[in-house]
Amino acid sequence: MAAAPALKHWRTTLERVEKFVSPLYFTDCNLRGRLFGASCPVAVLSSFLTPERLPYQEAVQRDFRPAQVGDSFGPTWWTCWFRVELTIPEAWVGQEVHLCWESDGEGLVWRDGEPVQGLTKEGEKTSYVLTDRLGERDPRRFKRFSCLSFPSSRDYSLTLYVEVACNGLLGAGKGSMIAAPDPEKMFQLSRAELAVFHRDVHMLLVDLELLLGIAKGLGKDNQRSFQALYTANQMVNVCDPDQPETFPVAQALASRFFGQHGGESQHTIHATGHCHIDTAWLWPFKETVRKCARSWVTALQLMERNPEFIFACSQAQQLEWVKSRYPGLYSRLQEFACRGQFVPVGGTWVEMDGNLPSGEAMVRQFLQGQNFFLQEFGKMCSEFWLPDTFGYSAQLPQIMHGCGIRRFLSQKLSWNLVNSFPHHTFFWEGLDGSRVLVHFPPGDSYGMQGSVEEVLKTVANNRDKGRANHSAFLFGFGDGGGGPTQTMLDRLKRLSNTDGLPRVQLSSPRQLFSALESDSEQLCTWVGELFLELHNGTYTTHAQIKKGNRECERILHDVELLSSLALARSAQFLYPAAQLQHLWRLLLLNQFHDVVTGSCIQMVAEEAMCHYEDIRSHGNTLLSAAAAALCAGEPGPEGLLIVNTLPWKRTEVMALPKPGGAHSLALVTVPSMGYAPVPPPTSLQPLLPQQPVFVVQETDGSVTLDNGIIRVKLDPTGRLTSLVLVASGREAIAEGAVGNQFVLFDDVPLYWDAWDVMDYHLETRKPVLGQAGTLAVGTEGGLRGSAWFLLQISPNSRLSQEVVLDVGCPYVRFHTEVHWHEAHKFLKVEFPARVRSSQATYEIQFGHLQRPTHYNTSWDWARFEVWAHRWMDLSEHGFGLALLNDCKYGASVRGSILSLSLLRAPKAPDATADTGRHEFTYALMPHKAPSPAPATSWSAFSVSSPAVLLETVKQAESSPQRRSLVLRLYEAHGSHVDCWLHLSLPVQEAILCDLLERPDPAGHLTLRDSRLKLTFSPFQVLSLLLVLQPPPH
Ligand SMILES: [Zn+2]
């Protein structure tokens, strides 16, 4: 007879159920204590240690020595291979048997030469299912036993290998997660045994935990909450942990509760398995390859057991690694992709930083990524996937559009420190007006675990209630955690349609976005950049990586241009397509969101520098080969030709090599994307329409440089006291102020050292003051004038700078060398301008945008440190001052002060970041126009409008007979423009195409007198396919 109904106390009832499922309390008699049954040790355990990451075939040949549970192994970054010989007791016939394995470090189980599952304690992967049901009547030793079948012998013996990496899920930080790695860390094996697993107990535990979650999550004001709690309580009443025959009654109570459905209006949660794997971060690139294998093989195993389970996987580079290192695993991934369970997403080569890469580099992320996905999985991605990055350029919508993508998933803006972003589902309109549909999972995470709390948060937190009734829910442990678990799936499946909760379905990103699109009329639109109000130190940290990035983007641009021109003009020239693809992929890899940003450990920074070195050395070899082929037979009088790879005509002073290794200066003029011979030395003077540079040092030590265009005055310590645009007499430096003022700040963030510079650093500003009399004249004038000085920044750090003015040049350059040995300091240089404007302009990918120079609102103030590419500008009507740079990204304009961020000195995760010698150049240009437009010879291409820039010239990816070029141009002023593109190459056909180089069927252009007419809207990017005529013979 059932007991009579009793009055129940909320808290005691709740805690009673909690104790029944607790892994800590009452495990002698509660349900959790019955999860595992009988156990026995493995028969033989042996191991060996290696500093290398060996392939399986090589590892199993090594000399394994006896090992036991409790052994420690290491140090950090080594690998311990275990051979596990096991025999399952015959008495366990009919039971589910697990290998229970707990060790520090990330493990991978190998069976019959193939990886089968990851084992990572931090990712709740501590057991490997040997068999679902141990067989009784199987004849012989089994050959392959997949986790679903059972052994085919009465001798249930098997040998497995477990490859354990000596690093945790998040590396090996000494003392804290982001501290520099401890190279001496040791790891331990704490459990290796066989045990019987009770699946029915597991399912009851899942139900009881969900019911507890509902009771707590919905709270005492909610009727459904009490129903959940009382159901759980009744389950405890009927369930005797020692008598499995009581379980079905308890199970039935749960099923009745979960089978009570919600109404039609319920929110739908689309749960997608995921595992965000940082391509390198607190561990080296090579470890990421193994992290991918461990995580994806675990996901595959779940797909086999749960045919409805869908797993989204981004980053072509990681797939390419697994393809070459784990071919067996890779072909199974492809199989599951065909079934629609393994879903490649994102379309990019890696999940890149969203701020620093150039426009062209962003295009290449998609070009390399989408082509890889098409080739390997039969289709391109339709969603851009960037859950974790440190801001999003306003040009991304246009770039996505051009790459066949209209949907974007991310979530990082939930990290905003100051302002809460007002949407989770919205349209994002980019710089040119392109729109994409964006979804941020409202649970503000990409590593959910399927709990009721997370499900309820997803609904409650949604900022677009009433506008969007669908949400994404990305579940699984990221990085080394190995992705989702069976428990997460069991939870989510149980919650599919229960009254009081949102509906939960296992969906692909495509299904989620289709649902959002079909009901998108009420969605709001956000215009312009998605600025992350955090991590703004990443624009500056690791200056050498930033410099490598800028320089290598330029090198690859130049190699492609010159190789394209050589291809067009020479029948013999072979375009180095394969080498260029390799170098581009290295550059794109370094643009991963923890590498180019400088938020990685020292080991990764060193690997990144090697990648840049490869690009520099191979790139320069390719450049020489292309230049030689292009200019064959046309040497100048001194055997020299000067090539201009920029799309406008340039007249500049150049240092030309002289015999014996010396250099001489010459003024040279080279047309747009073309070349010209070096003028003979005697003809130099007549070529000078401009005034030569005058250099005067006054008795007080100050120096004036004047080229008739601008006049620069430096005080005796090298600071800029005056900068005059000569023609108008306009002074660019604010009255009573000095420019080129170095300033030092204390730079101690709250936690994320390499990542964050906090607003309060501005309160610690200290100008660095030099010694009078240190300024000296360098080059004495004529073609070039310069002055130089030394500056002691601190007892440990010093700087030297040469201030250079060339003939005819509208800007003054500051060549800077710094020996930097600081801790938690930030060096910037400031230029107070005699300009007043509420907006400053910053160059971004394929264009520029404005940001406020004031702190009116919290949104303005949160942008106290911003990013820019090659220039920033502060202009009022008719006059402005631009600050240019060759390798910097951090900047700000507050009031009238332009400030360029130069060097930081964070200590985590790389304690050596930025210590050492640095070289960089910035330049200052006063100008009249409202925006600082980039200002027998031969020119390949030129554009009739200064508003339109020809950014890229390259061979088309798939080019018949390899004789098609792709040109990419963009409108840079923010205006509607018609212009003419002049071509000197033998072109037979011109067609508009998208960023993936797919021709626009209506995009045929008429070629008239070697000219093409092009029409642009503001900041529009256009790509053209040019089919070249057959080569001359
Ligand atoms: Zn990440």
Side-chain angles (χ1 to χ4, degrees):
M1 267 263 303
L7 193 63
K8 282 185 264 290
H9 183 264
W10 170 272
R11 199 188 113 202
T12 55
T13 312
L14 193 82
E15 287 197 23
R16 177 199 188 196
V17 181
E18 281 176 343
K19 293 302 180 311
F20 195 63
V21 300
S22 169
L24 280 179
Y25 303 105
F26 304 109
T27 50
D28 63 314
C29 60
N30 75 3
L31 188 65
R32 178 79 59 181
R34 300 298 183 278
L35 187 57
F36 284 96
S39 66
C40 73
V42 298
V44 185
L45 192 65
S46 50
S47 71
F48 81 92
L49 268 165
T50 166
E52 301 162 275
R53 295 180 175 86
L54 296 176
Y56 171 85
Q57 293 302 347
E58 220 174 293
V60 297
Q61 305 298 325
R62 294 289 175 101
D63 185 18
F64 284 78
R65 302 285 173 84
Q68 52 190 340
V69 173
D71 281 357
S72 43
F73 51 90
T76 314
W77 310 129
W78 282 46
T79 298
C80 192
W81 282 84
F82 288 92
R83 182 158 59 214
V84 185
E85 294 164 57
L86 54 90
T87 302
I88 306 174
E90 211 171 306
W92 294 0
V93 162
Q95 309 265 29
E96 178 170 338
V97 182
H98 290 195
L99 167 67
C100 297
W101 182 278
E102 283 179 37
S103 65
D104 312 318
E106 300 177 70
L108 177 63
V109 186
W110 291 82
R111 187 163 168 171
D112 300 326
E114 286 296 328
V116 288
Q117 195 201 291
L119 287 172
T120 307
K121 210 160 54 174
E122 296 143 295
E124 294 180 5
K125 291 170 189 76
T126 51
S127 72
Y128 167 63
V129 182
L130 288 165
T131 169
D132 283 344
R133 188 179 164 81
L134 192 66
E136 291 168 42
R137 283 177 286 117
D138 305 299
R140 285 170 39 79
R141 278 184 74 85
F142 45 87
K143 292 186 194 79
R144 275 182 81 86
F145 79 29
S146 111
C147 53
L148 284 180
S149 66
F150 43 81
S152 48
S153 164
R154 296 193 68 88
D155 172 17
Y156 302 118
S157 295
L158 174 72
T159 299
L160 300 174
Y161 290 86
V162 184
E163 173 190 8
V164 183
C166 296
N167 56 263
L169 186 155
L170 294 172
K174 189 172 189 172
S176 90
M177 179 184 104
I178 60 163
D182 176 0
E184 303 300 334
K185 210 168 202 165
M186 293 303 285
F187 296 76
Q188 199 183 32
L189 175 62
S190 47
R191 188 179 183 199
E193 61 182 10
L194 307 186
V196 169
F197 181 80
H198 295 136
R199 183 65 55 185
D200 48 0
V201 171
H202 163 80
M203 294 311 292
L204 275 178
L205 289 170
V206 167
D207 283 345
L208 285 164
E209 283 174 340
L210 290 174
L211 290 166
L212 279 171
I214 295 167
K216 285 194 253 185
L218 295 181
K220 287 192 208 172
D221 295 338
N222 188 295
Q223 156 90 0
R224 190 70 175 150
S225 153
F226 281 84
Q227 291 172 351
L229 183 62
Y230 291 1
T231 301
N233 185 63
Q234 188 59 17
M235 287 170 69
V236 180
N237 286 339
V238 301
C239 175
D240 180 345
D242 284 328
Q243 296 187 0
E245 60 274 20
T246 63
F247 296 171
V249 187
Q251 202 90 58
L253 287 168
S255 297
R256 205 181 118 231
F257 176 90
F258 289 108
Q260 290 169 331
H261 292 168
E264 271 180 56
S265 68
Q266 264 172 309
H267 191 85
T268 301
I269 283 179
H270 296 258
T272 307
H274 186 52
C275 174
H276 175 73
I277 302 180
D278 289 297
T279 297
W281 178 28
L282 302 173
W283 55 87
F285 286 100
K286 284 200 172 74
E287 196 52 47
T288 307
V289 183
R290 299 203 294 188
K291 280 176 185 284
C292 293
R294 290 190 282 262
S295 302
W296 297 350
V297 76
T298 308
L300 271 189
Q301 203 190 40
L302 285 176
M303 289 177 215
E304 275 173 350
R305 295 173 158 270
N306 305 271
E308 67 278 59
F309 169 49
I310 292 170
F311 180 82
C313 180
S314 61
Q315 313 199 63
Q317 167 72 85
Q318 296 185 358
L319 285 157
E320 203 255 352
W321 279 335
V322 167
K323 182 183 177 186
S324 59
R325 267 294 290 277
Y326 303 89
L329 167 60
Y330 188 74
S331 59
R332 289 180 65 215
L333 291 176
Q334 285 178 311
E335 231 171 83
F336 278 88
C338 289
R339 294 190 208 173
Q341 283 187 264
F342 183 81
V343 181
V345 288
T348 51
W349 187 246
V350 297
E351 287 182 10
M352 73 282 198
D353 178 57
N355 300 328
L356 311 185
S358 68
E360 188 59 32
M362 282 192 171
V363 170
R364 301 308 173 94
Q365 285 285 354
F366 286 98
L367 186 69
Q368 290 296 326
Q370 289 285 47
N371 284 341
F372 180 88
F373 290 117
L374 179 64
Q375 185 187 319
E376 299 292 321
F377 296 94
K379 57 181 171 220
M380 290 188 181
C381 303
S382 49
E383 294 84 24
F384 179 35
W385 189 273
L386 197 60
D388 180 27
T389 199
F390 310 156
Y392 312 84
S393 163
Q395 271 295 17
L396 275 167
Q398 181 176 199
I399 293 172
M400 284 183 235
H401 262 246
C403 298
I405 289 179
R406 298 280 190 281
R407 303 160 162 184
F408 175 36
L409 185 138
S410 187
Q411 80 84 40
K412 196 73 179 188
L413 283 195
S414 69
W415 285 46
N416 266 8
L417 201 62
V418 180
N419 299 287
S420 163
F421 194 75
H423 299 293
H424 283 101
T425 307
F426 60 102
F427 286 106
W428 180 21
E429 189 175 301
L431 200 60
D432 71 317
S434 300
R435 274 156 64 93
V436 293
L437 177 60
V438 184
H439 182 69
F440 298 163
D444 290 345
S445 165
Y446 45 84
M448 296 293 209
Q449 298 184 19
S451 72
V452 171
E453 192 189 347
E454 294 163 344
V455 164
L456 289 174
K457 183 183 177 189
T458 296
V459 179
N461 210 29
N462 180 14
R463 301 294 295 267
D464 296 281
K465 292 188 191 75
R467 288 191 280 264
N469 210 17
H470 296 263
S471 292
F473 186 95
L474 305 180
F475 66 100
F477 290 100
D479 286 325
T485 63
Q486 183 64 47
T487 307
M488 295 177 193
L489 275 164
D490 291 337
R491 289 175 189 149
L492 293 167
K493 285 195 255 181
R494 203 44 151 162
L495 296 178
S496 64
N497 188 352
T498 292
D499 191 19
L501 298 178
R503 241 189 295 271
V504 178
Q505 66 183 62
L506 301 177
S507 291
S508 64
R510 184 182 291 262
Q511 287 168 304
L512 163 78
F513 277 99
S514 299
L516 289 171
E517 272 166 1
S518 68
D519 188 19
S520 59
E521 280 148 40
Q522 299 300 316
L523 295 180
C524 300
T525 298
W526 180 272
V527 179
E529 70 177 323
L530 296 171
F531 185 85
L532 177 64
E533 298 172 354
L534 201 71
H535 293 0
N536 6 17
T538 61
Y539 319 146
T540 306
T541 304
H542 262 300
Q544 299 291 4
I545 291 183
K546 268 65 175 177
K547 187 173 178 172
N549 184 62
R550 184 75 62 79
E551 207 175 307
C552 291
E553 285 179 344
R554 181 185 56 72
I555 289 171
L556 293 182
H557 167 274
D558 291 355
V559 173
E560 288 187 333
L561 171 68
L562 295 193
S563 301
S564 299
L565 303 186
L567 177 76
R569 297 186 96 206
S570 154
Q572 286 79 38
F573 183 78
L574 287 176
Y575 190 92
Q579 293 102 306
L580 271 166
Q581 183 186 62
H582 171 70
L583 298 180
W584 263 111
R585 286 181 170 185
L586 284 180
L587 181 71
L588 299 179
L589 176 59
N590 277 2
Q591 288 177 344
F592 178 73
H593 62 255
D594 283 308
V595 179
V596 74
T597 52
S599 54
C600 51
I601 58 172
Q602 185 184 359
M603 220 179 223
V604 174
E606 284 167 3
E607 288 176 285
M609 293 310 290
C610 289
H611 295 159
Y612 290 131
E613 208 32 59
D614 272 7
I615 300 171
R616 285 189 182 104
S617 66
H618 289 108
N620 284 327
T621 307
L622 294 175
L623 209 53
S624 306
L630 175 63
C631 310
E634 288 191 61
E638 298 201 324
L640 277 179
L641 282 173
I642 316 246
V643 179
N644 174 16
T645 58
L646 293 178
W648 59 85
K649 178 178 158 186
R650 291 157 74 188
T651 299
E652 288 176 19
V653 176
M654 278 193 69
L656 299 175
K658 284 206 303 197
H663 286 81
S664 65
L665 296 179
L667 185 70
V668 296
T669 296
V670 190
S672 151
M673 290 191 167
Y675 57 78
V678 168
T682 47
S683 68
L684 268 181
Q685 287 316 313
L687 269 179
L688 285 178
Q690 297 96 342
Q691 175 191 314
V693 183
F694 294 109
V695 181
V696 179
Q697 182 154 33
E698 308 292 343
T699 47
D700 67 351
S702 64
V703 170
T704 302
L705 308 169
D706 188 338
N707 67 357
I709 300 170
I710 57 174
R711 186 164 58 243
V712 180
K713 279 192 184 158
L714 301 166
D715 78 4
T717 67
R719 295 181 305 174
L720 194 59
T721 50
S722 169
L723 174 62
V724 173
L725 193 57
V726 174
S728 64
R730 279 289 305 248
E731 172 63 54
I733 299 297
E735 205 179 331
V738 284
N740 203 32
Q741 173 70 61
F742 292 93
V743 283
L744 209 52
F745 299 86
D746 294 343
D747 187 14
V748 187
L750 297 177
Y751 176 71
W752 296 99
D753 201 356
W755 291 259
D756 291 351
V757 56
M758 307 305 296
D759 50 358
Y760 53 75
H761 88 285
L762 294 171
E763 297 177 56
T764 66
R765 177 182 178 277
K766 289 181 195 69
V768 181
L769 299 175
Q771 295 272 333
T774 55
L775 188 69
V777 171
T779 308
E780 291 189 340
L783 283 175
R784 172 170 291 172
S786 76
W788 66 275
F789 63 93
L790 295 169
L791 182 64
Q792 197 71 34
I793 300 170
S794 76
N796 299 318
S797 301
R798 65 180 197 277
L799 172 155
S800 67
Q801 191 172 65
E802 187 182 18
V803 184
V804 181
L805 186 63
D806 281 351
V807 74
C809 186
Y811 50 84
V812 53
R813 294 197 307 271
F814 301 82
H815 294 297
T816 315
E817 185 191 9
V818 184
H819 291 267
W820 180 248
H821 300 276
E822 298 297 325
H824 294 114
K825 297 287 176 194
F826 198 159
L827 181 70
K828 304 185 188 182
V829 64
E830 293 178 348
F831 294 92
R834 191 166 163 265
V835 176
R836 181 171 168 79
S837 171
S838 62
Q839 302 276 316
T841 305
Y842 301 85
E843 194 200 26
I844 67 160
Q845 295 81 358
F846 300 129
H848 58 78
L849 51 69
Q850 272 88 37
R851 300 187 183 110
T853 58
H854 55 73
Y855 296 170
N856 275 1
T857 68
S858 61
W859 292 85
D860 303 329
W861 165 54
R863 288 182 280 176
F864 57 86
E865 174 82 8
V866 298
W867 59 272
H869 285 185
R870 294 166 295 190
W871 56 264
M872 61 207 264
D873 179 70
L874 185 67
S875 285
E876 59 187 34
H877 179 75
F879 183 75
L881 184 62
L883 179 54
L884 295 71
N885 74 81
D886 72 341
C887 61
K888 297 296 171 192
Y889 294 90
S892 68
V893 181
R894 186 184 179 188
S896 293
I897 301 175
L898 293 94
S899 170
L900 186 65
S901 300
L902 302 175
L903 293 168
R904 293 186 72 216
K907 298 296 163 194
D910 178 359
T912 66
D914 282 324
T915 302
R917 183 178 169 276
H918 297 271
E919 239 188 289
F920 49 84
T921 298
Y922 51 86
L924 199 61
M925 179 169 127
H927 57 87
K928 274 198 291 186
S931 77
T936 299
S937 60
W938 177 80
S939 163
F941 302 101
S942 62
V943 185
S944 66
S945 165
V948 173
L949 294 185
L950 173 51
E951 173 70 28
T952 299
V953 179
K954 67 184 281 287
Q955 187 185 52
E957 295 290 303
S958 55
S959 158
Q961 286 90 49
R962 320 296 284 163
R963 293 196 60 81
S964 295
L965 299 182
V966 168
L967 268 56
R968 190 150 19 253
L969 307 96
Y970 69 97
E971 197 288 322
H973 287 181
S975 55
H976 284 90
V977 172
D978 289 336
C979 71
W980 292 96
L981 171 68
H982 297 253
L983 318 159
S984 309
L985 300 184
V987 170
Q988 61 184 33
E989 199 182 352
I991 314 148
L992 288 170
C993 64
D994 69 4
L995 297 177
L996 299 180
E997 307 179 4
R998 297 176 296 190
D1000 174 354
H1004 278 267
L1005 298 172
T1006 318
L1007 198 62
R1008 240 182 248 125
D1009 308 327
S1010 299
R1011 297 191 311 169
L1012 291 171
K1013 190 175 182 191
L1014 299 172
T1015 299
F1016 288 83
S1017 54
F1019 301 114
Q1020 189 182 10
V1021 180
L1022 278 185
S1023 303
L1024 306 178
L1025 268 173
L1026 299 183
V1027 182
L1028 297 172
Q1029 286 163 12
H1033 289 289

